[in-house]
């Protein structure tokens, strides 16, 4: 069976970059992802745009909206990921999406499209209670189903959730939607430690990481193995008033900064 | 016949329903489910709720024999279950009282809700005023525009209204924002969902609180007609007033049940809210049910003249009842509803809300000169005050004059 890049993540300071597929347009999106890939982050998360991204904050919502403006299809997003995988090297590819997208596309067809290309998948609104069928099929095809743990997940539930977990664990740093504000390092550290007692796969902290300082603080003040940055990457586009060439440059600068 | 027993312990109505939410919400929903199960066995809770139903809401609502409309249709004997007489003018208050009592029991100190027509917003603001809890109402900016009287009502009652500018700026988007608020404020906040939609346990819980409608109607009709009705008719947005009326009759095989959806400009057009006529199964707001969606599973915008029915989804129990063919669902257009709105006003002296006007329109259309000697109960779940401006504009009457 083919290797899964997520099985050979580095031990510390893992960097995962999230970006919405087709943002701001399909063609520009290719350039954005190529820029990201050129920095060889440990993981790239490909967000599949959805009309009703319930767990996402205003910035990713806006990215979804822009991507869907030109009726971007699931197939187009998957084709984009496939094309980019040619220059994937050691970077792990992870898809982040909502369940309705997968269901409507057809689970088997979806897996066929991403097999040997994508290493992991996060289905935001698929709770552990509903995952059996999907998890089995994914595992047969060597794709890891990535688990989210929130500050509200208690110990008993975490234990169930983390059993046989693969790839990495996505710890949601703030009770909140993507792009939220506060980072409470004490709480993060406490919860990450508790997760690490139950599971041996890397724990990445996501939601609310915005700057080089945040990345360094997570690495210094907590036991986490790395970070996930999403909204902050997209925010840059709106910061420079949607000038695409400037955006690519500011993206480059930002990614260089957060690679610590 | 096997006794109707839905949903399953994990909130499934057949294959529909479930809890499709992120891990930030899962622990909250499980906690809510546990607390709800507990209070169901709590006699004190029941007593408190019944007292409020009686003395605050004015229950039981009457069962009115609509003689003039019956004569006009020249078909069955028509009874209105008059939940429009409730305090705040619609059935929504039944559910809000149940949920706020539960919120109190759970020690929550902040209430949020979504609203379309503003009826659920008003009902939530009302119970928050009564119980002294801060209230935040998410409402699409399009709905704020077309339901102005209710916006003012909510403000008078002390609620904060948060306009929602995303998506279609109506009910679906208000619900997205309310869910996001809940994810952000997990510890102190209780989300009062206004219909039988959303993730488990909401569809079950809201149905249970609303089923006081059907329980009363059953007793009342047995008293006056000495038999069960032949038909039940109700409008379906998310489906709470309909489930409230239908649920206590589901085991009565001979009672035929009809749900009426808003077809907007027509069920076959893009401007519709007829989820079960024009939609396909999918996931919206944490629940697997019929939804209006495209081939990629992107949720479409709904359209209806009635803000309370302007929703591209529907409660999972309705999807189940449709698939097992226990309930039949039909669409009624804006135009048909508007006509029925006027007919009912003139014939019965009751100005109905635009939502139940859809049910009325179906009744007038499908029962004309038919089903004589039959008995129908129609859920008149809301009054039309909130719709006066919308209706005046659609009819071409200058209400400002
Ligand atoms: C009077 C009235 N009827 C019906 C509805 C639709 O909701 P449901 O289908 O949950 O009864 C609303 C919603 O706002 C309403 O105000």
């Amino acid at each position: 069976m083919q290797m899964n890049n997520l099985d050979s993540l580095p031990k510390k300071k893992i960097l995962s970059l999230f970006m919405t597929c087709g943002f701001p347009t399909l063609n520009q999106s290719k350039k954005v992802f190529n820029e990201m890939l050129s920095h060889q982050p440990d993981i790239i998360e490909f967000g599949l745009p959805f009309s009703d991204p319930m767990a996402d904050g205003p910035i990713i919502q806006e990215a979804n909206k822009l991507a869907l403006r030109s009726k971007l299809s699931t197939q187009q997003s998957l084709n984009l990921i496939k094309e980019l995988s040619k220059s994937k090297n050691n970077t792990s590819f992870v898809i982040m999406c909502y369940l309705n997208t997968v269901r409507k596309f057809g689970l088997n067809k979806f897996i066929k499209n991403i097999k040997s290309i994508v290493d992991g998948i996060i289905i935001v609104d698929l709770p552990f209670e509903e995952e059996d069928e999907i998890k089995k099929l994914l595992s047969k095809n060597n794709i890891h189903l990535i688990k989210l743990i929130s500050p509200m997940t208690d110990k008993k539930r975490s234990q169930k959730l983390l059993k046989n977990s693969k790839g990495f664990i996505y710890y949601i740093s703030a009770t909140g939607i993507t792009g939220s504000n506060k980072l409470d390092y004490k709480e993060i550290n406490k919860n990450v430690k508790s997760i690490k007692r139950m599971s041996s796969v890397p724990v990445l902290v996501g939601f609310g990481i915005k700057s080089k300082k945040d990345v360094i603080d997570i690495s210094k003040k907590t036991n986490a193995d790395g970070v996930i940055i999403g909204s902050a990457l997209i925010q840059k586009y709106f910061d420079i008033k949607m000038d695409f060439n400037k955006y690519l440059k500011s993206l480059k600068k930002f990614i260089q900064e957060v690679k610590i | 016949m096997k006794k109707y027993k839905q949903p399953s312990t994990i909130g499934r109505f057949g294959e529909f329903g479930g809890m499709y939410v992120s891990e930030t919400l899962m622990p909250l929903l499980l906690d809510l489910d546990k607390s709800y199960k507990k209070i169901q066995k709590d006699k004190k809770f029941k007593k408190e709720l019944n007292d409020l139903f009686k003395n605050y809401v004015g229950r039981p609502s009457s069962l009115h024999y609509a003689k003039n409309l019956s004569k006009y249709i020249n078909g069955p004997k028509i009874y209105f279950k008059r939940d429009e007489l409730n305090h705040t003018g619609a059935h929504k208050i039944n559910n809000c009282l149940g949920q706020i009592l539960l919120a109190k029991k759970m020690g929550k100190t902040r209430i949020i809700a979504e609203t379309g027509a503003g009826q659920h917003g008003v009902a939530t603001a009302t119970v928050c005023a009564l119980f002294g809890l801060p209230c935040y109402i998410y409402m699409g900016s399009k709905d704020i525009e077309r339901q102005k009287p209710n916006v003012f009502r909510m403000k008078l009652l002390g609620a904060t209204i948060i306009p929602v500018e995303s998506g279609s700026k109506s009910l679906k988007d208000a619900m997205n924002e309310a869910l996001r608020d809940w994810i952000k404020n997990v510890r102190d906040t209780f989300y009062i969902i206004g219909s039988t939609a959303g993730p488990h346990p909401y569809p079950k819980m809201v149905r249970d609180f609303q089923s006081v409608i059907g329980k009363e109607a059953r007793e009342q009709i047995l008293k006056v007609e000495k038999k069960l009705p032949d038909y039940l008719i109700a409008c379906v947005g998310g489906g709470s007033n309909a489930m409230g009326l239908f649920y206590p009759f589901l085991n009565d095989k001979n009672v035929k049940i009809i749900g009426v959806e808003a077809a907007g400009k027509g069920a076959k057009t893009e401007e519709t809210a007829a989820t079960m006529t024009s939609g396909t199964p999918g996931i919206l707001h944490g629940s697997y049910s019929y939804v209006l969606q495209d081939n990629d599973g992107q949720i479409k915008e709904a359209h209806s003249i009635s803000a309370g029915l302007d929703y591209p989804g529907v409660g999972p129990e309705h999807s189940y009842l449709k698939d097992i063919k226990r309930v039949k669902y039909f669409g009624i257009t804006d135009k048909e509803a508007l006509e029925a709105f006027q007919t009912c006003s003139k014939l019965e002296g009751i100005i109905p809300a635009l939502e139940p006007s859809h049910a009325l329109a179906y009744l007038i259309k499908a029962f004309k000169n038919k089903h004589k000697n039959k008995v129908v109960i129609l859920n008149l779940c809301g009054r039309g005050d909130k719709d006066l401006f919308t209706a005046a504009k659609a009819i071409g009457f200058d209400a400002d004059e």
Side-chain angles (χ1 to χ4, degrees):
Chain A
M1 193 176 254
Q2 198 163 342
M3 255 207 15
N4 185 317
N5 281 356
L6 286 171
D7 294 335
S8 46
L9 285 171
K11 285 271 162 282
K12 277 283 157 193
K13 295 184 182 173
I14 297 167
L15 177 65
S16 178
L17 301 176
F18 169 92
M19 180 57 66
T20 303
C21 289
F23 166 79
T25 67
L26 183 55
N27 278 331
Q28 291 174 331
S29 180
K30 261 175 228 164
K31 293 182 187 158
V32 170
F33 280 113
N34 273 320
E35 178 60 43
M36 289 162 66
L37 261 176
S38 74
H39 299 271
Q40 301 203 357
D42 302 304
I43 302 167
I44 292 186
E45 288 174 30
F46 297 86
L48 301 186
F50 181 48
S51 54
D52 292 76
M54 194 171 89
D56 285 298
I59 300 162
I60 296 179
Q61 279 177 53
E62 193 60 28
N64 279 290
K65 203 166 123 192
L66 290 183
L68 289 176
R69 231 176 0 185
S70 47
K71 297 248 174 277
L72 181 81
S73 68
T74 306
Q75 187 68 61
Q76 282 174 309
S77 292
L78 297 181
N79 291 347
L80 169 71
I81 297 169
K82 187 172 181 181
E83 196 186 319
L84 291 161
S85 71
K86 287 177 198 140
S87 35
K88 177 181 174 189
N89 297 319
N90 291 326
T91 297
S92 299
F93 275 21
V94 170
I95 284 181
M96 190 157 179
C97 64
Y98 288 83
L99 184 55
N100 203 42
T101 306
V102 180
R103 275 204 80 113
K104 196 71 188 169
F105 195 80
L107 181 59
N108 285 309
K109 188 174 148 203
F110 194 89
I111 291 178
K112 218 167 162 187
N113 268 266
I114 61 171
K115 190 181 168 165
S116 313
I117 294 171
V118 165
D119 307 285
I121 180 164
I122 304 167
I123 306 176
V124 183
D125 56 349
L126 177 70
F128 150 75
E129 283 81 353
E130 310 266 6
E131 76 184 18
D132 278 359
E133 181 201 349
I134 293 184
K135 193 173 172 179
K136 244 185 241 150
L137 263 176
L138 286 170
S139 141
K140 238 191 234 162
N141 291 282
N142 198 22
I143 300 165
H144 299 331
L145 183 65
I146 307 299
K147 293 299 178 45
L148 295 144
I149 297 272
S150 97
M152 298 305 286
T153 316
D154 65 20
K155 201 163 158 197
K156 208 168 127 203
R157 184 170 171 79
S158 296
Q159 256 157 357
K160 279 194 281 186
L161 263 158
L162 294 174
K163 210 169 139 198
N164 306 324
S165 51
K166 294 248 175 73
F168 64 92
I169 290 150
Y170 191 141
Y171 176 71
I172 300 164
S173 51
T175 51
I177 46 183
T178 53
S180 308
N181 287 323
K182 285 174 285 180
L183 286 174
D184 178 344
Y185 293 104
K186 263 206 190 118
E187 191 191 27
I188 294 172
N189 194 36
K190 192 184 97 204
N191 289 333
V192 168
K193 268 190 179 154
S194 147
I195 294 170
K196 287 176 93 62
R197 276 196 289 273
M198 296 177 227
S199 161
S200 57
V201 300
V203 181
L204 306 194
V205 172
F207 283 39
I209 304 207
K210 288 197 171 63
S211 63
K212 177 171 186 168
K213 184 177 175 301
D214 292 346
V215 178
I216 292 175
D217 283 349
I218 290 281
S219 146
K220 280 198 177 140
K221 296 181 188 171
T222 80
N223 236 350
D225 304 302
V227 295
I228 299 161
I229 307 179
S231 297
L233 291 180
I234 293 167
Q235 177 64 43
K236 300 270 171 244
Y237 180 66
F238 302 105
D239 288 348
I240 46 91
K241 303 210 167 49
M242 306 191 255
D243 178 331
F244 187 69
N245 288 325
K246 276 196 199 153
Y247 177 52
L248 283 182
K249 279 184 204 136
S250 91
L251 207 56
K252 181 196 269 312
K253 188 163 156 272
F254 183 67
I255 297 173
Q256 281 166 349
E257 269 174 34
V258 295
K259 273 194 89 171
I260 58 166
Chain B
M1 193 169 71
K2 249 196 2 218
K3 219 168 162 213
Y4 184 85
K5 212 171 167 213
Q6 301 285 344
S8 70
T9 48
I10 55 161
R12 293 256 177 225
F13 301 88
E15 61 174 329
F16 297 106
M19 305 165 107
Y20 295 101
V21 299
S22 66
E23 183 55 26
T24 25
L25 279 185
M26 261 328 271
L28 290 147
L29 289 172
L30 293 171
D31 189 36
L32 178 63
D33 190 35
K34 219 165 84 193
S35 304
Y36 177 57
K37 278 198 189 116
K38 222 193 274 165
I39 57 108
Q40 276 181 300
K41 294 182 204 122
D42 184 343
K43 287 210 178 88
K44 228 176 90 196
F45 181 91
K46 248 191 204 140
K47 185 175 175 311
E48 219 175 330
L49 185 59
N50 283 337
D51 278 353
L52 286 163
F53 275 172
K54 183 164 168 228
N55 301 311
Y56 193 65
V57 179
R59 301 211 72 93
S61 68
S62 62
L63 189 74
H64 161 70
Y65 170 39
K67 209 195 242 161
N68 300 337
L69 185 69
S70 300
K71 200 168 146 204
Y72 171 77
I73 291 179
N74 186 33
K77 229 171 152 178
I78 298 159
Y79 285 87
F80 288 166
K81 179 59 178 163
R82 295 197 59 191
D83 257 53
E84 110 280 7
L85 290 176
N86 293 344
H87 178 42
T88 71
H91 65 292
K92 298 284 178 186
I93 189 94
N94 304 329
N95 166 50
C96 289
L97 281 169
Q99 287 199 47
I100 202 158
L101 284 180
L102 179 56
K104 278 280 201 193
K105 285 264 184 313
M106 292 174 73
K108 303 288 179 182
T109 54
R110 178 177 175 269
I111 302 292
I112 57 170
E114 84 294 336
T115 196
Q119 284 309 104
H120 175 58
V122 166
T124 305
T126 299
V127 300
C128 284
L130 183 66
F131 285 90
L133 289 178
C135 176
Y136 297 86
I137 304 289
Y138 286 88
M139 187 169 191
S141 58
K142 182 171 134 197
D143 290 336
I144 290 181
E145 196 46 49
R146 62 178 163 175
Q147 302 286 334
K148 275 188 190 144
N150 272 344
V151 173
F152 185 51
R153 268 183 203 118
M154 286 184 269
K155 285 191 176 158
L156 279 175
L157 293 159
T160 306
I161 292 156
I162 307 172
V164 175
E165 299 289 349
S166 56
S168 53
K169 302 176 176 45
S170 61
L171 186 53
K172 158 177 95 83
D173 313 284
M175 199 153 168
N176 282 330
E177 283 309 319
L179 283 162
R180 289 184 187 117
D181 178 311
W182 202 23
I183 296 177
K184 266 192 282 190
N185 300 291
V186 288
R187 289 187 174 89
D188 62 346
T189 297
F190 190 101
Y191 179 15
I192 300 188
I193 292 186
S195 193
T196 43
H200 178 69
Y202 284 101
K204 169 181 162 57
M205 184 166 70
V206 177
R207 172 199 75 193
D208 292 349
F209 287 139
Q210 289 293 3
S211 62
V212 63
I213 301 173
K215 274 183 217 144
E216 286 173 7
R218 198 185 164 90
E219 272 177 34
Q220 289 164 323
I221 200 78
L222 282 173
K223 212 175 224 169
V224 288
E225 288 290 335
K226 311 281 182 290
K227 62 165 203 167
L228 288 175
D230 300 291
Y231 292 90
L232 302 174
I233 301 184
C235 66
V236 179
S240 69
N241 87 84
M243 275 325 303
L245 177 65
F246 299 169
Y247 184 59
F249 293 93
L250 288 177
N251 285 319
D252 303 305
K253 224 173 40 194
N254 293 328
V255 178
K256 296 189 179 74
I257 307 182
I258 295 166
V260 185
E261 299 189 287
K265 303 234 162 103
K268 295 218 167 71
T269 70
E270 283 293 305
E271 290 179 75
T272 184
T275 310
M276 281 183 291
T277 316
S278 314
T280 48
I283 294 160
L284 177 64
H285 298 142
S287 167
Y288 181 61
S289 193
Y290 279 85
V291 289
L292 299 174
Q293 58 184 335
D294 70 11
N295 290 334
D296 272 312
Q298 309 292 357
I299 310 301
K300 290 188 192 172
E301 288 180 14
H303 169 87
S304 168
I305 188 171
S306 136
L309 304 181
D310 200 351
Y311 182 60
V314 68
E317 190 160 18
H318 286 289
S319 293
Y320 174 68
L321 291 170
K322 172 192 157 80
D323 278 14
I324 64 164
K325 300 192 167 70
R326 177 65 186 96
V327 179
K328 284 196 173 143
Y329 295 87
F330 300 95
I332 280 293
T333 63
D334 290 349
K335 196 162 156 268
E336 291 167 324
L338 210 58
E339 258 167 47
F341 171 81
Q342 296 169 80
T343 307
C344 179
S345 300
K346 278 192 196 118
L347 288 179
E348 289 296 329
I350 296 171
I351 302 176
L354 283 173
E355 290 83 9
S357 295
H358 286 73
L360 283 161
Y362 180 78
L363 178 68
I364 294 170
K365 183 162 121 177
F367 285 67
K368 186 117 197 162
N369 303 322
K370 272 191 225 149
H371 306 298
K372 284 179 197 172
N373 308 317
K374 301 285 184 197
V375 170
V376 178
I377 300 178
L378 179 142
N379 198 5
L380 204 80
C381 57
R383 54 176 174 249
D385 309 34
K386 68 182 175 66
D387 296 314
L388 290 183
F389 291 102
T390 306
K393 199 169 144 202
I395 294 165
F397 176 82
D398 188 351
D400 283 335
E401 253 176 37

